[in-house]
Amino acid sequence: MVAGKNSLVNQPARDYIFMLVIMKSLYFIKMLRAPSVLLAVMALAGGAALGQMPGAAGTSAMNAAMIKLFGSNTGFSSESEFHVLDKAKKETTAASMNYALLDGKTRMEIDLSQVRSADMPPALVPTMKQLGMDQTIVISRPDRKVVLSIFPRAKAYAEIAMSKDEAVAAGKNYLITKAPLGKETIDGHPCEKDKVTLTGDKGDKLVTTVWYATDMKDFPVKLEMPSEEGSVVIMKFKEVKLVRPDLKEFEAPAGLTRYASGEALLDAMAKMQTNPTAKK
C-alpha cells in the first residue's frame, strides 16, 4: 500500500496499518526497520526468527514452524511476553499480548500501549488510539486461507486472503530434532531445556532453545532464538490454560464492519475522525 497525495493520516500510521494487516502473521527482526514495533510483538504468530527462514513466504512458513514447537498441545490459551535483546544483551523491545492456538489457527490480542521500544515513533500510539485502532486482534486461519485483522474499538475488521505461496507455506511439515541441554525451573515449572532444530523439506531451518514444562504436558513455556547481528528473541508463556478454545474465538465478532483491505479500513477510520457523522 502506498500513501496517496490525499492520504488522511500520517505516513507512520499508514505504514503501520499496511504492515499489520498485510503481513499475515507474526514476524520480526527484519521487520523492526518498519515504523511499527508492533510487528515485533506479532512474531509469536510466526516470524520471530524470520532472518533464519529464506523464501518469499517466510512469515507463513515461520508460523507453521512455530506451531510445531507446541507439540501435542494443539489447543490452548495464554498470556505471553516478548523481548528482544541486542548483542550487548540490552533489551530493545518488550511487549505483552494474549495468544491462543486451535488446530493450527492462531489468535493474538495486542494493545499497542503495551509495546515498549525506542524504535516506536512517539506519535504512533496517540494516532492509532485516535483512530480506534490501538487495540488489535489478529486471527490466522490457514484452513480458510485468510487472515483477519480486527479492531474492536473501531468496530471494524479486514479480511485478507493468503497468497498461494503463503497458503503452501502454512501447510509445510517440519522435521524436529532435539538435543538436551539440561534441566531448569521457569516461573515455578520444572523444565527440560533442549536445543530444537526444525528443518523444512527444502532445507530451511529454525534453531531455538526451548524450555518444556514437564508438569504441563511438555508445554514450551520459554523460547529463545538467536537472530541477525547477535540479537536474541525471547518469548515466554504464562497463565497457560491447556483447554481448547471455542472455535468462535477464531471468527470475527458479529456487528463489525468488514473491509476487503487494510487500506480501505484505514481510510474509513480516518474519514470518521475528520467527519464524525460519516457512516462507515
PDB file of all heavy atoms in Angstrom, residues 262-278:
ATOM      1  N   GLY A 262      -6.621  -3.572   4.174  1.00  0.00           N
ATOM      2  CA  GLY A 262      -6.205  -2.710   5.272  1.00  0.00           C
ATOM      3  C   GLY A 262      -6.303  -1.251   4.905  1.00  0.00           C
ATOM      4  O   GLY A 262      -6.641  -0.408   5.730  1.00  0.00           O
ATOM      5  N   GLU A 263      -6.014  -0.921   3.653  1.00  0.00           N
ATOM      6  CA  GLU A 263      -6.076   0.467   3.206  1.00  0.00           C
ATOM      7  C   GLU A 263      -7.507   1.003   3.276  1.00  0.00           C
ATOM      8  O   GLU A 263      -7.743   2.128   3.721  1.00  0.00           O
ATOM      9  CB  GLU A 263      -5.541   0.596   1.786  1.00  0.00           C
ATOM     10  CG  GLU A 263      -5.508   2.041   1.303  1.00  0.00           C
ATOM     11  CD  GLU A 263      -4.789   2.176  -0.038  1.00  0.00           C
ATOM     12  OE1 GLU A 263      -4.825   1.208  -0.818  1.00  0.00           O
ATOM     13  OE2 GLU A 263      -4.200   3.233  -0.280  1.00  0.00           O
ATOM     14  N   ALA A 264      -8.453   0.189   2.849  1.00  0.00           N
ATOM     15  CA  ALA A 264      -9.851   0.613   2.891  1.00  0.00           C
ATOM     16  C   ALA A 264     -10.300   0.857   4.322  1.00  0.00           C
ATOM     17  O   ALA A 264     -11.003   1.834   4.621  1.00  0.00           O
ATOM     18  CB  ALA A 264     -10.736  -0.437   2.220  1.00  0.00           C
ATOM     19  N   LEU A 265      -9.878  -0.026   5.219  1.00  0.00           N
ATOM     20  CA  LEU A 265     -10.250   0.133   6.623  1.00  0.00           C
ATOM     21  C   LEU A 265      -9.618   1.395   7.207  1.00  0.00           C
ATOM     22  O   LEU A 265     -10.283   2.185   7.885  1.00  0.00           O
ATOM     23  CB  LEU A 265      -9.810  -1.108   7.405  1.00  0.00           C
ATOM     24  CG  LEU A 265     -10.287  -1.222   8.862  1.00  0.00           C
ATOM     25  CD1 LEU A 265     -10.346  -2.685   9.274  1.00  0.00           C
ATOM     26  CD2 LEU A 265      -9.367  -0.475   9.813  1.00  0.00           C
ATOM     27  N   LEU A 266      -8.343   1.598   6.948  1.00  0.00           N
ATOM     28  CA  LEU A 266      -7.644   2.757   7.477  1.00  0.00           C
ATOM     29  C   LEU A 266      -8.262   4.059   6.994  1.00  0.00           C
ATOM     30  O   LEU A 266      -8.505   4.980   7.767  1.00  0.00           O
ATOM     31  CB  LEU A 266      -6.167   2.699   7.072  1.00  0.00           C
ATOM     32  CG  LEU A 266      -5.306   3.892   7.484  1.00  0.00           C
ATOM     33  CD1 LEU A 266      -5.294   4.039   8.996  1.00  0.00           C
ATOM     34  CD2 LEU A 266      -3.901   3.739   6.945  1.00  0.00           C
ATOM     35  N   ASP A 267      -8.555   4.134   5.698  1.00  0.00           N
ATOM     36  CA  ASP A 267      -9.145   5.352   5.160  1.00  0.00           C
ATOM     37  C   ASP A 267     -10.526   5.616   5.755  1.00  0.00           C
ATOM     38  O   ASP A 267     -10.899   6.760   6.014  1.00  0.00           O
ATOM     39  CB  ASP A 267      -9.237   5.274   3.644  1.00  0.00           C
ATOM     40  CG  ASP A 267      -7.881   5.459   2.968  1.00  0.00           C
ATOM     41  OD1 ASP A 267      -6.966   5.981   3.630  1.00  0.00           O
ATOM     42  OD2 ASP A 267      -7.734   5.077   1.799  1.00  0.00           O
ATOM     43  N   ALA A 268     -11.294   4.537   5.986  1.00  0.00           N
ATOM     44  CA  ALA A 268     -12.617   4.699   6.594  1.00  0.00           C
ATOM     45  C   ALA A 268     -12.495   5.254   8.008  1.00  0.00           C
ATOM     46  O   ALA A 268     -13.255   6.142   8.416  1.00  0.00           O
ATOM     47  CB  ALA A 268     -13.352   3.369   6.601  1.00  0.00           C
ATOM     48  N   MET A 269     -11.518   4.742   8.777  1.00  0.00           N
ATOM     49  CA  MET A 269     -11.332   5.224  10.139  1.00  0.00           C
ATOM     50  C   MET A 269     -10.876   6.689  10.140  1.00  0.00           C
ATOM     51  O   MET A 269     -11.306   7.488  10.965  1.00  0.00           O
ATOM     52  CB  MET A 269     -10.297   4.363  10.864  1.00  0.00           C
ATOM     53  CG  MET A 269     -10.707   2.915  11.096  1.00  0.00           C
ATOM     54  SD  MET A 269     -12.273   2.736  11.993  1.00  0.00           S
ATOM     55  CE  MET A 269     -13.396   2.343  10.632  1.00  0.00           C
ATOM     56  N   ALA A 270     -10.013   7.027   9.193  1.00  0.00           N
ATOM     57  CA  ALA A 270      -9.539   8.403   9.102  1.00  0.00           C
ATOM     58  C   ALA A 270     -10.677   9.355   8.752  1.00  0.00           C
ATOM     59  O   ALA A 270     -10.787  10.455   9.291  1.00  0.00           O
ATOM     60  CB  ALA A 270      -8.424   8.502   8.067  1.00  0.00           C
ATOM     61  N   LYS A 271     -11.562   8.934   7.843  1.00  0.00           N
ATOM     62  CA  LYS A 271     -12.703   9.757   7.464  1.00  0.00           C
ATOM     63  C   LYS A 271     -13.646   9.961   8.643  1.00  0.00           C
ATOM     64  O   LYS A 271     -14.231  11.027   8.812  1.00  0.00           O
ATOM     65  CB  LYS A 271     -13.443   9.116   6.297  1.00  0.00           C
ATOM     66  CG  LYS A 271     -12.686   9.177   4.975  1.00  0.00           C
ATOM     67  CD  LYS A 271     -13.420   8.430   3.874  1.00  0.00           C
ATOM     68  CE  LYS A 271     -12.635   8.477   2.577  1.00  0.00           C
ATOM     69  NZ  LYS A 271     -13.297   7.697   1.493  1.00  0.00           N
ATOM     70  N   MET A 272     -13.774   8.922   9.463  1.00  0.00           N
ATOM     71  CA  MET A 272     -14.620   9.052  10.654  1.00  0.00           C
ATOM     72  C   MET A 272     -14.075  10.102  11.606  1.00  0.00           C
ATOM     73  O   MET A 272     -14.818  10.810  12.284  1.00  0.00           O
ATOM     74  CB  MET A 272     -14.720   7.708  11.359  1.00  0.00           C
ATOM     75  CG  MET A 272     -15.601   6.684  10.638  1.00  0.00           C
ATOM     76  SD  MET A 272     -17.364   7.153  10.663  1.00  0.00           S
ATOM     77  CE  MET A 272     -17.723   6.946  12.396  1.00  0.00           C
ATOM     78  N   GLN A 273     -12.732  10.217  11.646  1.00  0.00           N
ATOM     79  CA  GLN A 273     -12.120  11.225  12.527  1.00  0.00           C
ATOM     80  C   GLN A 273     -12.323  12.629  11.979  1.00  0.00           C
ATOM     81  O   GLN A 273     -12.554  13.566  12.753  1.00  0.00           O
ATOM     82  CB  GLN A 273     -10.623  10.931  12.679  1.00  0.00           C
ATOM     83  CG  GLN A 273     -10.307   9.693  13.496  1.00  0.00           C
ATOM     84  CD  GLN A 273     -10.835   9.792  14.912  1.00  0.00           C
ATOM     85  OE1 GLN A 273     -10.707  10.842  15.568  1.00  0.00           O
ATOM     86  NE2 GLN A 273     -11.454   8.723  15.379  1.00  0.00           N
ATOM     87  N   THR A 274     -12.241  12.786  10.664  1.00  0.00           N
ATOM     88  CA  THR A 274     -12.404  14.114  10.091  1.00  0.00           C
ATOM     89  C   THR A 274     -13.870  14.513   9.967  1.00  0.00           C
ATOM     90  O   THR A 274     -14.205  15.687   9.898  1.00  0.00           O
ATOM     91  CB  THR A 274     -11.753  14.181   8.699  1.00  0.00           C
ATOM     92  OG1 THR A 274     -12.339  13.170   7.849  1.00  0.00           O
ATOM     93  CG2 THR A 274     -10.254  13.936   8.803  1.00  0.00           C
ATOM     94  N   ASN A 275     -14.755  13.495   9.937  1.00  0.00           N
ATOM     95  CA  ASN A 275     -16.186  13.741   9.832  1.00  0.00           C
ATOM     96  C   ASN A 275     -16.919  12.717  10.698  1.00  0.00           C
ATOM     97  O   ASN A 275     -17.371  11.692  10.210  1.00  0.00           O
ATOM     98  CB  ASN A 275     -16.654  13.631   8.382  1.00  0.00           C
ATOM     99  CG  ASN A 275     -18.123  13.961   8.234  1.00  0.00           C
ATOM    100  OD1 ASN A 275     -18.767  14.468   9.160  1.00  0.00           O
ATOM    101  ND2 ASN A 275     -18.678  13.666   7.059  1.00  0.00           N
ATOM    102  N   PRO A 276     -17.028  12.964  12.013  1.00  0.00           N
ATOM    103  CA  PRO A 276     -17.595  12.007  12.955  1.00  0.00           C
ATOM    104  C   PRO A 276     -19.014  11.561  12.604  1.00  0.00           C
ATOM    105  O   PRO A 276     -19.470  10.503  13.058  1.00  0.00           O
ATOM    106  CB  PRO A 276     -17.572  12.761  14.289  1.00  0.00           C
ATOM    107  CG  PRO A 276     -16.514  13.792  14.117  1.00  0.00           C
ATOM    108  CD  PRO A 276     -16.582  14.195  12.674  1.00  0.00           C
ATOM    109  N   THR A 277     -19.737  12.342  11.812  1.00  0.00           N
ATOM    110  CA  THR A 277     -21.115  11.958  11.479  1.00  0.00           C
ATOM    111  C   THR A 277     -21.158  11.030  10.284  1.00  0.00           C
ATOM    112  O   THR A 277     -22.226  10.507   9.947  1.00  0.00           O
ATOM    113  CB  THR A 277     -21.960  13.210  11.190  1.00  0.00           C
ATOM    114  OG1 THR A 277     -21.408  13.896  10.070  1.00  0.00           O
ATOM    115  CG2 THR A 277     -21.974  14.134  12.401  1.00  0.00           C
ATOM    116  N   ALA A 278     -20.014  10.827   9.634  1.00  0.00           N
ATOM    117  CA  ALA A 278     -19.996   9.956   8.453  1.00  0.00           C
ATOM    118  C   ALA A 278     -20.198   8.512   8.846  1.00  0.00           C
ATOM    119  O   ALA A 278     -19.764   8.074   9.898  1.00  0.00           O
ATOM    120  CB  ALA A 278     -18.656  10.118   7.710  1.00  0.00           C
TER     121      ALA A 278
END
